Structure formats: C-alpha cells, structure tokens
Amino acid sequence: MRIAFLLAVLAGGTYYTYVAFADLNFLTRTGRLGPGFFPRSIGVMIVLLTIWALSDALRQGRGDQADAGRWRDVVMLMALAVCYAVTLRVFGGFLATVIYLAVTLAVLNRGRPVQNALLSVIVPVVIYLLFDRVLNASMPPGLVDILPI
Amino acid sequence: MDVFGDLLMGLSIAITPINMLYLLIGAIVGMVVGVIPGFGPSAGLAILLPVTFGMDPTGAIMMLAAIYYGAMYGGTITSILLNTPGESATVASTFDGYPLAKKGRAGPALVMQAVASFVGGTVGVILITILAPMFSQVSRSFGPPEYFLLAMMGMLTLVVMIGTNWKLGLISALIGFALGTVGVDLETGQGRYTFGSAELIGGIYFIPVAIGLFGLGELFYSFYVGMHRSGSGGIVQYDKEASFWPSAEDFLTTRMTMVRGSILGFVVGVIPGAGATIASLMAYSTERSVSKAPEKFGTGEMAGLVAPETANNAASSGAMIPLLTLGIPGSASTAVLLAAFMLWGLRPGPLFMEQNPELAWGLIASMYLGNMILLVISIFAIPLFVQIIKVPYRILGPIVVVICTLGTFSVHASFIETYLMFAAGIIGFFMRLYGFSPAALVLALVLGPLAEEALRQTLTISRGSGMIFLERQASLWIIGVTIVLVIVLPLMSRYGRSSGTAEKAGT
C-alpha cells in the first residue's frame, strides 16, 4: 500500500509537472519570471524526490502488512463519511446528520440502541441551534426538503 | 505610546464581558482539544475556525489563540493520568508525569503541571510584550529577498526536524507548494491548474484542506491504530490519594526549572519550524543534564514534569512573534491562525502592530488573562476533563466527522469545498500512515504563494541574479541562522529524544 501511495504521488507529480511545462510559460513577454517558473521547479523536485522515496520503499520491501481488522474499521468509517457527503446534498444538513449518526453509531457503538438514538437526535439539534441560530452560519440545504429547517 | 500604555489599552479591550466570554470558551475548548488523544491544536483550530465567522474579529482571534495555547494545558492531563500524551508537545510530560501518578502523586503532578504551564505561558507573553515591538522594528527593513528566505527557513527547519523521513516531509511540503500554485497567477492573470473550473480560479482554499488533513485525517488514523477499541480503564485514580496539593518542596525544587524551561521554550518557539514539541524535549534533556540527581529522571521526578510543561507553553507564546511581526507562521497551528487573520482581512507583518494596535495588543493582553483562566480551569475542572477522556472514541469519531463537515460547509456554503475536505481527510490519513507530514503540507500551502511572490519580486529587483541574497546584510543573517538551525536543531532534538527514550527504558 505504501508503494501504491507513492506511485499515486508520483503520477500526480508527473501530471503537475507536465502541465507546468506544456501550458505555463517560464518567462513573461517582458523577460520576467512567468507563471510556470515556480510550478516547473516544484514539479521536477516532487518527481525526483518521489522516485528516490519509491526506490527506498522498494528496497525495504513489503514491510507494511497490517492486519485486516485495522483496515476494516477505518475503511468503514471512510465509506460512511463518503455516504454522509452524498446524503448531505440530497437531504440537507440536519436530516443527513441524523441518518449518518444513527447508522454510524449502530455500527460502531453496538448494543446501546437507546444511547445511539438519543445521540443521533441530540447532536444534530445542538449543532443546528449553534450554527443556524447562534452563529448565523448556513446548514447545507437538501435537494429533497423533508423538514422545514 | 509606550509598551506599558499599549498593554493597558489592550487590557481594556480584552477585559470586556463579551471578549472575556470568548476567552473562557476558547480556553475550555483548547483544553478539551488537548485532552483528546490524537487531536492537537492544529486540528482544534481548523475545525473550530468556521465557528468564529459570526463574531467580531478581535474576540474571534482571542478565542482562537486561547484554543491554541489552551491545548498545551489540556494535553498533559492524559500524559499524567493515562500515560498517553494528548498531543505531541506533551510527550515529554509522560516521562515523569505518569511515574509520579503511579507513585500516588497524581494530584500534585496535575497541579504542578498547571502552575508550570501558567509560568511558561505568562513568561512567554511577557517576552512577547517586550520583544514583539522590537521584532517589528527590525523586520521593517526586510524586503522580498528576506521574506522569501524566512519562508524557506520555516519550511527547512520543519522538514529537518521530521528526522529520518525528511524526504517524505520535503515531498509533503512540495505538494503544499504545488497546491498553492492553483488559481490565477496574480502577476500575469493566467490561470494555473484551474481546468476551466470557476471554483478553482481563486485557488485551493486553505480551510477545507486543513480541516480535512488535521480533523478527518487524524480521526481516521486514530481508528486505524485502534483508539476506538481501547477503553479508558488505565486512568490513575487521583481523587483517592492522600493529598491533592503539591508540597512546598515541590515548588522550591522546581523554581529554577521553571525559569530555564520558560526561556528555552520561548527561544525555540520563536524559531520558525521548531515548535513546542522540540522545546519540551530539549527542556527535559537540559534539566536532566543540570540536575544533581539525573538518575531520578524517569522515575517520577517533579522537575522532569515541570521542565517540558513550562517549555511547551512558553514555545507556543514564542511562536506568536514571527506570526505577528513577520506574518510567517512557524508551525501548522500558527498557519491556521494566520489563515484566521487573513479571513478577517488582516495581514500580520512588520506594520501589523502599528496599524492594528487594538487587535494586536488586545490579543497580547488576552494571553495574560487566558493563562490565568487556564490555571484555574486546569486545577479545579480536572474531574470534568477526566469525564471527557472517558467518552469513547467510537462515539466521539462520528461527532467529529459531523463538526468537520458542517464547519467546512458553513465557510462559503460550498459543497465543492466540503467534498475537498473529505478528499483531504482520506489523503491525510494515508500521509500520516506512510510517514508523510500533513503539517508541512499545510504550512507550505500557506507559505507557498507568499514565497513565490517574494521570489519573483526579488529576481525582478535583481534582474534575475540570485546574488541579491548574498549582497544584502539582512539576507545574509537569515541564511546564516538557517544554516545553523538546520545543523543544530536536529542534533539537539535527537539528544532530547534519546534522553526521553533512556528514561522510558529505565522505568
């Protein structure tokens, strides 16, 4: 996974450098440093250093074998967070938060349905009151407005 | 106006009921952030920054600063009671803090850490009061070459302090610089990496990236290491001890430790990139080397707790100097603070204190009051923070996700920025997992545009010659100091860490 992540950084760095050389000028027409000067320098350094780090990682071999249990929990939390981002757009801030907390707590905090139900309602209400009423900051609106808030 | 008059003016601003309320909220939130293992001041500041948007700028900055230095107080409670540092700057406090608690002296240790934090923080603010105007005067002679070099100094010191993973730290910083180039080039008006998107014309916004990397990224990492599975059963029961209060001997034997820790911590804090973690480790190793009984360190020696505590609090005050007088953040936390200043249309730098005396001196005065509030809270509200430690991570985690999400959305009511925050969170987790430095990325994202602008201006002034950096006296000084720091700081840090490891091994 470490090597895969470094390869992803290398791919991103290479694309960044390609755009810097292809689309951005090193100098302006008046001979001053242009918009490509900094990106080209940074891009080349990212590519070179990532290749170096990658060769180090390859030499060290596959030393990052983690147990599946660790990954299962973190991947689940990430997946639930991404689902929350999607439901946020559909149902709006309040309802999406209630749904997200209800599902996530049901998965992570098993065997405590009353505590989970209370938290799933109380936390969004407190956050709604804090953001929308006290701080006058907007909560995400939903495409489907089920609740009047 | 003289410094004393400026400070009185600042006090009159800070002491209004509403600002005192903000200060109290900031102090409590800072302590809570410090108490939660895995979350440092950077995460706390980034997550709570959007909450301050509806507030008056002076109150908002005071509250954010209180969160920043308040985290140093809170982080030690878990170091003493749970042997788990609340954040990296309180790692050194576990060396003697936890052994003290195990010896049945948790109460005195908690009180002494609060007193030491107060002394370190207050000495730090006194030094800010004296030195900040002087730094402002000196930095007025700085031009683009010096600003470029200062930005590089901050990045270089941060990267070399990362240690064996310096390559990954440097890649992280370069990614931050790369992200900083997205948007319209201010000099030519040409779009860079915008791919025709209107959302990217203004560049990649700092807040979603910082909240994602520090908030979600740290949370995902905490789940990865299994913090949601571990309970809080290992908390030392301090309330069953014979005496909660420290003895007169505790104060007498550590009075010089507090002086040394405060001064050392402040000096290290002023250096961009060094920070409170290094300050606390260095103070610990210094105290051990001057002690008449170094063999007692690691077994529950009060000086071993007091030294890092005074140092990390003094360092967090010291870090405000380059921020206020140069506009150069030396750490991820002060980078978030700089972003907060910028959100309010304020640009810290040499003229900041002269042009915004109410805010600058109000902030400095609020730090005196904030440290007093924190002293009281961290002694008398310990039971409250112990209850917070007991909240399981499996409940805290989803709530943090919600606060990060809704906080990010509230900044510009933008779903794109909210999705960017989620992406930064996932990338931040992998960065943390594989030894990259999210702090270097965030610092570079803030310093990148500043460094690029300064470099381009410098080379325009010099007609493309890099010799300008060697022709100006101020530039030469900065280059000299940078070289010394790059060589000396890793050696000192290694010494501090090895002393700490030796103590750990000895216990």
Side-chain angles (χ1 to χ4, degrees):
Chain A
M1 277 297 277
R2 180 188 166 93
I3 290 166
F5 187 68
L6 279 166
L7 281 171
V9 173
L10 182 62
T14 308
Y15 180 68
Y16 177 86
T17 314
Y18 165 74
V19 173
F21 278 91
D23 295 349
L24 304 170
N25 297 325
F26 191 78
L27 295 173
T28 63
R29 282 183 203 156
T30 53
R32 292 163 71 167
L33 289 178
F37 168 72
F38 217 57
R40 285 184 190 189
S41 317
I42 294 165
V44 169
M45 283 193 276
I46 291 178
V47 171
L48 292 177
L49 273 167
T50 311
I51 291 171
W52 190 359
L54 198 55
S55 67
D56 286 351
L58 286 168
R59 258 202 308 274
Q60 284 162 10
R62 296 164 65 84
D64 60 338
Q65 300 284 337
D67 66 282
R70 284 183 165 196
W71 279 104
R72 191 189 58 224
D73 287 355
V74 76
V75 167
M76 191 169 59
L77 191 69
M78 280 181 191
L80 287 166
V82 171
C83 290
Y84 177 44
V86 175
T87 52
L88 205 64
R89 188 79 189 93
V90 179
F91 297 116
F94 184 80
L95 199 55
T97 304
V98 174
I99 297 167
Y100 168 73
L101 284 177
V103 174
T104 311
L105 289 172
V107 174
L108 295 175
N109 195 33
R110 284 186 194 140
R112 297 178 181 87
V114 178
Q115 186 187 41
N116 293 345
L118 282 172
L119 282 169
S120 305
V121 176
I122 292 169
V123 171
V125 167
V126 170
I127 290 177
Y128 169 76
L129 290 174
L130 178 71
F131 276 72
D132 209 84
R133 301 292 158 182
V134 179
L135 300 168
N136 213 15
S138 54
M139 290 275 275
L143 294 172
V144 184
D145 274 334
I146 298 172
L147 295 175
I149 53 173
Chain B
M1 212 188 291
D2 62 325
V3 169
F4 192 66
D6 286 330
L7 193 60
L8 279 180
M9 182 261 291
L11 269 176
S12 69
I13 292 162
I15 214 154
T16 59
I18 189 73
N19 285 341
M20 286 300 287
L21 178 68
Y22 289 150
L23 201 55
L24 182 66
I25 294 170
I28 293 171
V29 171
M31 282 204 67
V32 171
V33 165
V35 160
I36 301 171
F39 283 93
S42 327
L45 283 168
I47 294 168
L48 294 160
L49 183 55
V51 175
T52 62
F53 287 171
M55 293 162 53
D56 148 70
T58 310
I61 298 288
M62 281 179 191
M63 189 174 109
L64 288 169
I67 294 173
Y68 165 60
Y69 55 78
M72 298 292 161
Y73 281 73
T76 319
I77 296 177
T78 50
S79 295
I80 294 169
L81 296 181
L82 207 55
N83 202 23
T84 305
E87 46 119 6
S88 63
T90 57
V91 169
S93 307
T94 60
F95 301 159
D96 278 280
Y98 188 64
L100 272 165
K102 294 291 276 183
K103 275 172 34 179
R105 301 208 70 215
L110 288 166
V111 176
M112 284 305 289
Q113 73 84 15
V115 173
S117 298
F118 171 74
V119 171
T122 306
V123 170
V125 189
I126 291 169
L127 291 171
I128 291 181
T129 311
I130 298 163
L131 296 176
M134 288 159 63
F135 267 77
S136 288
Q137 283 290 338
V138 172
S139 61
R140 273 178 214 179
S141 64
F142 289 179
E146 288 75 31
Y147 276 99
F148 174 74
L149 290 171
L150 281 168
M152 289 301 107
M153 183 208 270
M155 286 314 312
L156 274 175
T157 43
L158 186 71
V159 167
V160 297
M161 296 312 293
I162 290 168
T164 49
N165 278 342
W166 67 268
K167 260 174 269 172
L168 301 180
L170 197 52
I171 294 170
S172 312
L174 288 167
I175 293 171
F177 279 135
L179 293 175
T181 61
V182 174
V184 170
D185 175 40
L186 291 176
E187 210 165 301
T188 60
Q190 187 181 345
R192 298 192 294 190
Y193 303 99
T194 54
F195 308 108
S197 162
E199 296 265 1
L200 290 174
I201 286 173
I204 289 185
Y205 199 52
F206 171 82
I207 302 297
V209 176
I211 295 178
L213 289 177
F214 294 134
L216 281 196
E218 289 292 329
L219 179 74
F220 292 150
Y221 186 74
S222 301
F223 267 70
Y224 179 80
V225 297
M227 281 177 74
H228 60 301
R229 288 183 188 158
S230 59
S232 50
I235 296 179
V236 176
Q237 297 297 311
Y238 71 95
D239 46 355
K240 289 177 183 157
E241 290 169 1
S243 172
F244 177 77
W245 298 100
S247 62
E249 191 193 346
D250 288 328
F251 285 100
L252 285 171
T253 53
T254 57
R255 62 189 193 283
M256 288 313 292
T257 305
M258 290 192 198
V259 175
R260 281 189 290 269
S262 301
I263 294 169
L264 178 71
F266 184 83
V267 172
V268 175
V270 170
I271 300 165
T277 306
I278 303 307
S280 60
L281 287 166
M282 282 171 63
Y284 185 85
S285 58
T286 306
E287 204 51 42
R288 187 171 172 268
S289 59
V290 300
S291 171
K292 285 174 187 161
E295 72 282 356
K296 285 188 179 171
F297 276 67
T299 62
E301 179 72 7
M302 195 58 89
L305 171 67
V306 166
E309 274 310 294
T310 41
N312 65 26
N313 283 275
S316 63
S317 299
M320 298 294 277
I321 292 245
L323 177 71
L324 290 175
T325 63
L326 301 168
I328 302 279
S331 64
S333 312
T334 45
V336 182
L337 270 180
L338 178 67
F341 277 99
M342 286 158 128
L343 278 172
W344 297 109
L346 302 160
R347 187 78 183 90
L351 299 174
F352 179 71
M353 296 187 80
E354 193 177 289
Q355 290 172 347
N356 304 279
E358 291 88 2
L359 199 149
W361 286 102
L363 173 64
I364 292 171
S366 78
M367 290 175 76
Y368 285 97
L369 301 170
N371 276 295
M372 288 180 206
I373 291 171
L374 280 160
L375 174 67
V376 176
I377 293 175
S378 53
I379 292 175
F380 294 103
I382 288 170
L384 173 73
F385 294 108
V386 169
Q387 290 306 314
I388 292 168
I389 299 170
K390 287 180 180 169
V391 176
Y393 233 78
R394 57 181 186 272
I395 290 177
L396 209 58
I399 296 172
V400 170
V401 172
V402 168
I403 295 171
C404 288
T405 308
L406 300 180
T408 306
F409 182 85
S410 71
V411 179
H412 288 135
S414 162
F415 279 103
I416 299 281
E417 285 181 6
T418 312
Y419 300 146
L420 174 65
M421 187 277 297
F422 278 105
I426 293 170
I427 292 168
F429 162 71
F430 284 106
M431 288 183 75
R432 184 89 163 75
L433 185 62
Y434 297 129
F436 287 78
S437 168
L441 191 155
V442 164
L443 194 58
L445 180 59
V446 173
L447 288 178
L450 192 149
E452 183 183 12
E453 190 189 350
L455 180 62
R456 286 166 79 174
Q457 284 173 349
T458 301
L459 294 178
T460 301
I461 295 166
S462 69
R463 295 172 192 271
S465 166
M467 289 304 289
I468 190 170
F469 293 114
L470 302 175
E471 288 162 359
R472 294 165 65 102
Q473 203 179 8
S475 293
L476 272 173
W477 267 103
I478 296 170
I479 291 171
V481 171
T482 306
I483 291 169
V484 171
L485 290 176
V486 165
I487 296 167
V488 171
L489 275 178
L491 294 175
M492 294 180 83
S493 166
R494 211 165 294 158
Y495 175 60
R497 281 181 210 278
S498 62
S499 296
T501 313
E503 295 323 324
K504 280 276 175 196
T507 54

